[in-house]
Amino acid sequence: MNKPPQSKETLVPLERVAKFVRQLTHDVRNGLSAIDLQTAFMAEIATDPEVLAEVRKLREMVADSAKMLRSMSQNFQPVTVHPIPWDTATVMEELAKQLQAEFPEEAPTVKLENRFGAEAVQIDLNQTLSAVLAVLCNAFQFRREEAIVRVIGSMQDGQAALEVREPKEALQTETPPEEWSLEPLHSTRPGGYGLGLYRARQILEAQGGALETRFTGSELVTRITLPT
């Protein structure tokens, strides 16, 4: 009996995947917008308080789904940076503000330590902070409950660096931390997409920075280098 031919694995370029994801999220978000408009109309004509409460919940669910899709689509956009000089004190201040805005519940468990002097860095501030927040988001997902995460800003060997330090006794994956941000769409977290650290590395490298992660046996250290 002849064996059926084995199908070859299809390798799809990341650029084509990115285009597909952007188109898909655009179409789904259009559908969500139509649902939101319909529920807004329902809220105008409904008189029952219980119905109005349920409509509000539905609109919140639609808004959350649209936000998630927008974030997903942004991860597949080409990285474009516009670096300008920023003093390191401002960078740390803006990081504190965005941390509080994006992660209000986790922010109290993050200790920011500014050990910089009067140095300046040449960065796209918003893009760089989004990369730092992606690293912190990953830390929040995998850390021990209520463990303090330290973010230390300092000069190291003539380079400006932010070190995110998480106390950790062991890793939850066999993949070495040095490889975590090298490939997209690879995640060990249920519900994760494997894009956060990959995107962060792209943003940093696009402006001459770097992202390195290592495990010391007691801490997981992610070092973010910023161009001066």
Side-chain angles (χ1 to χ4, degrees), residues 4-227:
Q6 294 183 347
S7 59
K8 294 182 179 180
E9 182 180 3
T10 302
L11 300 179
V12 181
L14 182 61
E15 292 79 7
R16 195 186 305 172
V17 175
K19 182 178 179 180
F20 165 76
V21 170
R22 290 195 295 267
Q23 183 62 53
L24 178 63
T25 54
H26 176 269
D27 294 342
V28 175
R29 287 181 63 192
N30 282 344
L32 290 174
S33 296
I35 294 173
D36 188 54
L37 289 173
Q38 189 65 29
T39 52
F41 175 69
M42 292 170 59
E44 291 180 358
I45 63 176
T47 57
D48 190 318
E50 292 186 5
V51 173
L52 286 171
E54 293 302 317
V55 170
R56 281 195 294 269
K57 291 179 182 178
L58 180 58
R59 296 196 70 186
E60 290 174 0
M61 292 168 61
V62 170
D64 289 343
S65 296
K67 181 179 178 181
M68 183 273 292
L69 286 170
R70 182 168 59 252
S71 176
M72 170 70 73
S73 181
Q74 287 174 347
N75 281 328
F76 282 98
Q77 296 291 339
V79 175
T80 302
V81 294
H82 302 284
I84 62 173
W86 291 92
D87 62 85
T88 49
T90 300
V91 173
M92 297 298 287
E93 291 170 2
E94 290 301 313
L95 175 58
K97 292 178 183 178
Q98 291 203 19
L99 174 63
Q100 182 62 47
E102 293 290 330
F103 302 101
E105 296 182 1
E106 291 86 356
T109 65
V110 178
K111 183 179 180 182
L112 299 180
E113 302 179 27
N114 184 2
R115 301 181 185 175
F116 288 117
E119 298 87 5
V121 288
Q122 184 89 2
I123 60 172
D124 183 314
L125 183 61
N126 288 333
Q127 290 272 48
T128 299
L129 292 183
S130 72
V132 178
L133 291 178
V135 173
L136 286 171
C137 180
N138 190 70
F140 299 149
Q141 296 289 342
F142 290 99
R143 68 174 172 173
R144 300 198 311 266
E145 186 175 357
E146 298 304 321
I148 297 297
V149 177
R150 298 166 64 203
V151 181
I152 304 171
S154 65
M155 296 298 295
Q156 300 179 8
D157 300 324
Q159 295 181 311
L162 295 173
E163 280 194 348
V164 179
R165 291 181 167 268
E166 314 164 40
K168 198 176 291 289
E169 297 176 357
L171 299 179
Q172 302 177 14
T173 173
E174 296 180 356
T175 304
E178 293 81 4
E179 300 179 8
W180 288 356
S181 58
L182 297 180
E183 295 183 356
L185 307 177
H186 177 72
S187 177
T188 58
R189 177 174 63 87
Y193 299 109
L195 291 169
L197 294 183
Y198 176 76
R199 180 70 174 183
R201 175 186 284 273
Q202 285 188 313
I203 290 171
L204 295 169
E205 291 182 348
Q207 51 193 333
L211 177 67
E212 303 170 351
T213 306
R214 70 183 191 277
F215 180 54
T216 68
S218 60
E219 281 187 319
L220 185 66
V221 182
T222 301
R223 184 172 184 264
I224 297 168
T225 305
L226 306 176

